[in-house]
Amino acid sequence: MSDLALLLFRLDRITYAVTADQVRYVDLPEQITPVPQAPPFVEGVMYSRGAIIPVVNLRVRFGLPRQERNLKQRVIVTELGERVVGLLVDEAREFLRVDAARIMLPPQMVLTPSAAFLAGVVVEGQRPIFLIDLERVLSPEEVPQLPQTDNEDATPPEEGG
Amino acid sequence: MSDWLDESLLAEFFSEVEEHLTNIRQQLLALETAEDRTPCIEEALRAYHTLKGITGMVGLESAMHLSHQMESLLKAVQQAAVPLTPEVVDVLLAGADALESLVARMRQPEAPEPDLTPLLDRTQKILAGGISEDAVAPASAVAPPEFSPPPPPPSTDILPLPVELPAPWPAQLDPPARERLGQGIAQGKALAQVVFTSGTEHHERGWTVDRVRQTVAALGEIVAVASETLPEAEDRVRFAFLVLTDPTTRPPEDAPLTWTWLYRPTDITPRAAPAGGQTGATLRVPLLRLDELMRLTGELLITSGRLDEVLSPWRRRWPELDAALRDPLRHLRRQLNDLREAVFNARLVPLEEVFRRLTLAVREVARATGKQVRLEIQGETVEVDKALAEQLAAPLLHLVRNAVAHGIETPEARQQAGKPPVGLVRVAAIPEGDTIRIEVGDDGRGLDLQAIAAKAHRLGLLPELRPITPEEALDLITRPGFSTREQADRSAGRGVGMDVVAGMVRSFRGSLSLHTEPGRGTTFVLRLPLTLTIVEVLLVEINGQRYAIPRNLVAEVIEVVPSALQATPAGWMYLHRGQSLPVVHLAALLAGHPLAGALPHGYGVLSHTRQGTILFTVDRIVGLREVLVYPLTDPLVARPGIHGATELGDGRAMLILDLDGVRTALMSSWRSS
């Protein structure tokens, strides 16, 4: 019965999560300076608490249209090994503890671009929360290896049902 | 393993272990050339002793046991019970390596467990008196030349006594005793002579020689004993003991002994510090604290610059304010620069430490490959930023190991080629202004360009098999995947390849080049900038965005005069002082596509790049500023044309352009799109 602490965030109407041990802190997106020739999902670099960190626009990464800068957006400053990278999201608010045993593999039939970046899903009070695979998200490759699925004809169902 | 150890204790532990291991290696190396080896042995002994203690404290049993074995071995050497042969030195060095691996496993539990059995066996054998076949007698020609054979044991009249001693002592002291005496005195002990004359009256009271000996031994260390029969009474024997003891020892009161102080420490000035040991007051400061100091200093500089910027329009308006502010602001600026330099210097370390490890590596690889190699070092006193020194270690080790393993030929092959049988590997560090040039060269067979080309072709890195230039060879061997993974030969090192060397040089915005001549040798040249963290930059505006250009890349700044522009099929050229310079329109370049019909305008930054002098056009020149460089090493944003990023004090990150790389990197991707 081991608990896992998660930080929940939102892109459009879907709730995602990243494990709390990968989160350094959450910051307000200040000026983000674009970096020429960087992958399109890299928003740029940002000065935050004495360091300059790259920021990934998670919407772009997950194939969603860009959003105008607004006050609800946050940058989740994550750490992966030695790397410190920010994730620009629509909203980030709560921490949640879940029983690690309740986390299931992401549903195979989800064929949207974000599928490649999901590590699991847990249902909490009616809503599914999708855990992201931080390593894949931060990989410089445009499209990291998709989880194996040979169902190429299936139309992707609406996310969030 | 104890889990109650907290982070700070562990960090302290790791740093201490490193320090002691470094010391041990230094001392063992110094042994090969030191005239007086005693202090080296002692230092190493103390270090192993401490390592035993601290590894025991953190619960690292195997390391503690190993340290104990090494300590025993050193003690045996110290007491001359075991001669100091190259094999013994090997074992001690191997012990240090093994300890390092054991401690490293604490941080990386998935690393393989080192097998200590062979090492411990060898140690036991040596201690048991059987020296294994590897030991080389001084006269043998098999020993690598740079290890001078151990000096012959000093005869009694050669090794001087540290103090004047009355008869009969000088004749009574054999070399081990003299050594022990010297050590004791160096440790601050006093020397006493205790005389007891046997006789029935003492015997009745229970005073026999043995009891006297025990009594004296309880007070100090008996270095030598002498005895003589009294001529006037043959049943009486006079025994004299030479005892090393604390200066505060009080002679026993009720014993029939004559106690004479022969020497006490206040009479002599302390001995010089042991060879290779640290002299001068030092304070171990965690690098993180220096980084923090650096950062704070940088921010001070930035704020000072901002202050200048904010005040400037007001100063123009009010001359009295301007006059009043001039001196204080100038002083502030100068003091901040002094501070910056002082903090920077605090991080400087001599390259000596890095170079010492090279000596060890050369020895190792030479023995393993049956070659004879001499290592020549130049510039070990050159100081570089500690971060740079730490990063240099692995690449330099790799280059040096490669030179011995692949560059230098066997003694036979060398003699056939008319070369001396002992190969030469040369490592030099030469400061050149604000860069440092590091060369690693050998006088071996040179790079086999054909073999490299063939291998590159096989791996698909070279489309057609053709002769290649040394520059192309360098480019190929530094590609990841080129280095031989099939033979993870220990001598050339595992996990560090030429690609890592090149990567390290790149991450420091340095350059790597090579010279090679078949049959004559190969030299790798690394050029690295010395000032890493705070640089002076030229601020420019391009497409409404601010960018920084390192000042050392800027030769001149000019205003673009449209009439000096010439359109050519190869692009725009600019006529400047009689020279026709190629123009790079930075706005277009950074935007990622050629702006249709764009005429370079605004201002131009003249730069002497590797491809020649080029004029880069920008929209506006903002000014000069000192900035703190934040390297952009994350793969998401690391780009050849981008030197790093900085922050101007307004919370906005700003990119620092590397004009050399900007053109090549961006243009090549531009062409491919």
Side-chain angles (χ1 to χ4, degrees):
Chain A
M1 177 75 161
S2 59
D3 267 2
L4 196 59
L6 304 175
L7 171 65
L8 305 187
F9 62 91
R10 186 178 58 79
L11 291 180
D12 261 3
R13 284 165 299 147
I14 302 173
T15 306
Y16 297 87
V18 59
T19 54
D21 64 352
Q22 292 177 316
V23 176
R24 271 206 180 175
Y25 56 91
V26 178
D27 207 354
L28 285 168
E30 297 296 337
Q31 304 270 8
I32 299 181
T33 307
V35 174
Q37 306 302 308
F41 56 87
V42 174
E43 188 76 0
V45 289
M46 176 179 124
Y47 179 77
S48 167
R49 297 200 192 170
I52 295 188
I53 58 172
V55 178
V56 166
N57 186 323
L58 220 51
R59 278 187 150 251
V60 176
R61 192 69 165 128
F62 286 11
L64 298 168
R66 279 176 181 271
Q67 198 187 50
E68 286 264 326
R69 198 55 66 77
N70 68 63
L71 290 173
K72 283 204 178 154
Q73 287 170 342
R74 295 287 181 273
V75 171
I76 301 176
V77 179
T78 65
E79 61 185 12
L80 187 69
E82 302 269 330
R83 299 174 65 189
V84 178
V85 182
L87 304 175
L88 180 64
V89 300
D90 293 358
E91 200 176 352
R93 275 189 309 175
E94 34 174 322
F95 278 92
L96 185 70
R97 295 195 86 89
V98 294
D99 178 8
R102 286 176 47 221
I103 298 174
M104 306 173 281
L105 286 176
Q108 290 278 339
M109 56 192 183
V110 176
L111 291 175
T112 54
S114 65
F117 304 108
L118 302 182
V121 62
V122 64
V123 179
E124 182 75 19
Q126 304 288 3
R127 62 175 170 175
I129 299 171
F130 294 93
L131 255 71
I132 62 168
D133 181 333
L134 189 63
E135 194 165 352
R136 289 223 185 109
V137 168
L138 299 185
S139 152
E141 289 163 27
E142 287 282 343
V143 185
Q145 301 292 343
L146 270 176
Q148 52 287 75
T149 167
D150 24 359
N151 203 345
E152 302 223 338
D153 302 291
T155 37
E158 276 246 17
E159 263 194 57
Chain B
M1 257 297 319
S2 347
D3 356 66
W4 49 264
L5 287 170
D6 71 62
E7 282 289 325
S8 56
L9 266 178
L10 266 181
E12 191 69 39
F13 168 69
F14 287 133
S15 136
E16 234 196 294
V17 167
E18 194 191 304
E19 200 178 290
H20 289 300
L21 285 176
T22 304
N23 200 10
I24 287 171
R25 288 184 176 125
Q26 270 180 358
Q27 299 306 330
L28 291 174
L29 270 179
L31 273 175
E32 300 182 355
T33 50
E35 285 169 1
D36 181 9
R37 302 151 115 199
T38 323
C40 302
I41 298 175
E42 222 169 79
E43 269 291 312
L45 186 58
R46 272 201 274 261
Y48 264 122
H49 180 78
T50 311
L51 279 171
K52 179 176 81 176
I54 57 181
T55 49
M57 240 171 40
V58 300
L60 207 54
E61 297 272 339
S62 46
M64 184 177 82
H65 179 68
L66 179 59
S67 307
H68 180 68
Q69 290 299 308
M70 294 295 118
E71 195 193 346
S72 304
L73 184 55
L74 272 164
K75 275 200 186 133
V77 169
Q78 195 185 49
Q79 290 157 9
V82 164
L84 188 61
T85 60
E87 156 148 54
V88 171
V89 176
D90 265 353
V91 167
L92 290 166
L93 285 172
D97 286 342
L99 267 167
E100 198 171 43
S101 313
L102 284 171
V103 171
R105 274 190 86 232
M106 280 177 75
R107 286 201 257 217
Q108 288 170 304
E110 67 277 0
E113 166 112 44
D115 181 15
L116 299 175
T117 337
L119 180 60
L120 292 173
D121 278 348
R122 269 170 90 189
T123 315
Q124 280 309 314
K125 262 177 84 179
I126 296 174
L127 283 170
I131 298 170
S132 60
E133 310 75 62
D134 285 355
V136 176
S140 162
V142 172
E146 87 276 11
F147 179 93
S148 51
S155 54
T156 45
D157 50 343
I158 290 178
L159 184 67
L161 286 172
V163 288
E164 285 283 305
L165 291 179
W169 295 118
Q172 292 285 3
L173 292 174
D174 60 344
R178 287 176 177 236
E179 271 200 58
R180 187 63 207 114
L181 194 60
Q183 281 165 15
I185 289 181
Q187 284 164 0
K189 297 252 186 242
L191 196 60
Q193 173 183 279
V194 183
V195 178
F196 165 72
T197 310
S198 69
T200 41
E201 72 277 19
H202 303 309
H203 197 90
E204 279 163 12
R205 282 163 53 212
W207 282 105
T208 58
V209 173
D210 275 341
R211 181 153 170 224
V212 168
R213 180 191 286 267
Q214 276 170 27
T215 312
V216 175
L219 293 171
E221 187 189 332
I222 299 175
V223 180
V225 182
S227 64
E228 58 174 359
T229 327
L230 289 183
E232 63 270 24
E234 276 167 316
D235 59 336
R236 284 171 173 273
V237 182
R238 181 155 59 201
F239 295 91
F241 300 88
L242 197 58
V243 187
L244 272 174
T245 182
D246 276 327
T248 51
T249 307
R250 301 184 69 214
E253 306 235 332
D254 55 341
L257 307 171
T258 318
W259 182 287
T260 320
W261 288 108
L262 294 180
Y263 155 72
R264 286 210 262 194
T266 47
D267 311 344
I268 277 188
T269 49
R271 272 231 321 235
Q278 292 217 326
T279 50
T282 52
L283 179 70
R284 239 186 319 143
V285 181
L287 197 59
L288 235 48
R289 291 216 192 124
L290 285 176
D291 276 347
E292 184 64 9
L293 268 177
M294 210 43 167
R295 193 181 64 78
L296 291 170
T297 312
E299 299 203 333
L300 269 173
L301 274 167
I302 290 167
T303 307
S304 149
R306 191 115 173 87
L307 187 63
D308 274 336
E309 202 185 321
V310 163
L311 282 174
S312 126
W314 300 105
R315 292 176 68 179
R316 274 199 296 272
R317 232 198 266 181
W318 297 325
E320 290 136 353
L321 180 66
D322 181 52
L325 285 174
R326 187 166 308 146
D327 273 349
L329 285 180
R330 206 160 36 86
H331 286 158
L332 180 65
R333 200 101 177 108
R334 192 163 38 81
Q335 284 157 355
L336 282 173
N337 270 318
D338 287 346
L339 176 65
R340 184 250 287 195
E341 211 169 301
V343 171
F344 180 69
N345 284 340
R347 285 171 57 112
L348 292 181
V349 293
L351 279 173
E352 184 182 8
E353 170 42 36
V354 178
F355 286 171
R356 267 192 199 280
R357 297 186 60 188
L358 299 179
T359 318
L360 277 163
V362 165
R363 235 171 135 258
E364 239 174 52
V365 180
R367 290 186 88 193
T369 54
K371 304 194 183 159
Q372 292 177 21
V373 184
R374 183 166 65 90
L375 178 66
E376 211 176 74
I377 292 180
Q378 187 195 330
E380 61 266 35
T381 54
V382 172
E383 291 188 327
V384 298
D385 186 85
K386 180 157 186 165
L388 176 57
E390 284 176 357
Q391 292 259 19
L392 268 176
L396 281 184
L397 273 168
H398 178 76
L399 287 173
V400 159
R401 285 195 178 120
N402 254 1
V404 178
H406 304 301
I408 305 279
E409 317 92 322
T410 60
E412 301 78 45
R414 286 182 66 90
Q415 278 182 320
Q416 278 186 342
K419 295 185 190 176
V422 180
L424 172 65
V425 170
R426 195 177 139 270
V427 178
I430 303 129
E432 289 180 333
D434 62 354
T435 48
I436 183 170
R437 191 171 89 232
I438 299 181
E439 299 181 350
V440 178
D442 63 72
D443 67 347
R445 56 169 74 97
L447 277 188
D448 188 348
L449 296 178
Q450 275 192 331
I452 293 174
K455 179 163 185 203
H457 180 63
R458 257 200 335 267
L459 294 173
L461 299 169
L462 192 65
E464 17 136 319
L465 190 56
R466 56 170 176 82
I468 55 173
T469 63
E471 289 76 36
E472 291 178 298
L474 179 62
D475 177 53
L476 289 167
I477 63 178
T478 53
R479 301 265 186 99
F482 187 90
S483 34
T484 35
R485 298 276 156 87
E486 317 99 48
Q487 353 144 236
D489 56 308
R490 199 185 171 283
S491 35
R494 221 181 286 213
V496 182
M498 282 305 300
D499 55 328
V500 174
V501 176
M504 173 261 165
V505 170
R506 255 199 314 271
S507 77
F508 279 96
R509 320 297 162 182
S511 71
L512 180 63
S513 57
L514 73 75
H515 309 289
T516 183
E517 250 186 82
R520 299 278 306 272
T522 310
T523 303
F524 286 89
V525 180
L526 289 80
R527 281 193 178 78
L528 300 161
L530 274 178
T531 35
L532 287 181
T533 324
I534 298 185
V535 293
E536 204 181 0
V537 297
L538 179 70
L539 292 185
V540 299
E541 208 175 271
I542 303 168
N543 282 342
Q545 276 270 11
R546 282 191 181 184
Y547 293 88
I549 298 173
R551 171 70 184 269
N552 65 336
L553 290 178
V554 177
E556 212 184 318
V557 173
I558 61 171
E559 196 172 337
V560 171
V561 174
S563 54
L565 282 167
Q566 307 155 330
T568 73
W572 291 103
M573 301 287 271
Y574 193 84
L575 193 62
H576 179 68
R577 303 212 190 141
Q579 260 198 306
S580 215
L581 305 170
V583 177
V584 170
H585 190 33
L586 275 176
L589 205 55
L590 292 171
H593 53 266
L595 300 174
L599 186 75
H601 61 274
Y603 293 82
V605 171
L606 219 94
S607 182
H608 302 304
T609 69
R610 267 181 259 135
Q611 294 106 7
T613 309
I614 298 177
L615 188 73
F616 294 87
T617 55
V618 302
D619 300 337
R620 233 167 49 91
I621 305 282
V622 177
L624 281 172
R625 200 68 69 80
E626 299 231 272
V627 296
L628 196 60
V629 177
Y630 296 85
L632 286 183
T633 49
D634 194 280
L636 290 172
V637 290
R639 291 285 171 278
I642 294 172
H643 178 105
T646 185
E647 185 265 336
L648 282 182
D650 57 356
R652 257 191 304 175
M654 185 174 63
L655 296 176
I656 303 173
L657 299 177
D658 170 18
L659 294 183
D660 261 340
V662 135
R663 188 181 186 220
T664 38
L666 301 185
M667 275 182 88
S668 58
S669 67
W670 177 2
R671 268 195 215 105
S672 60
S673 60

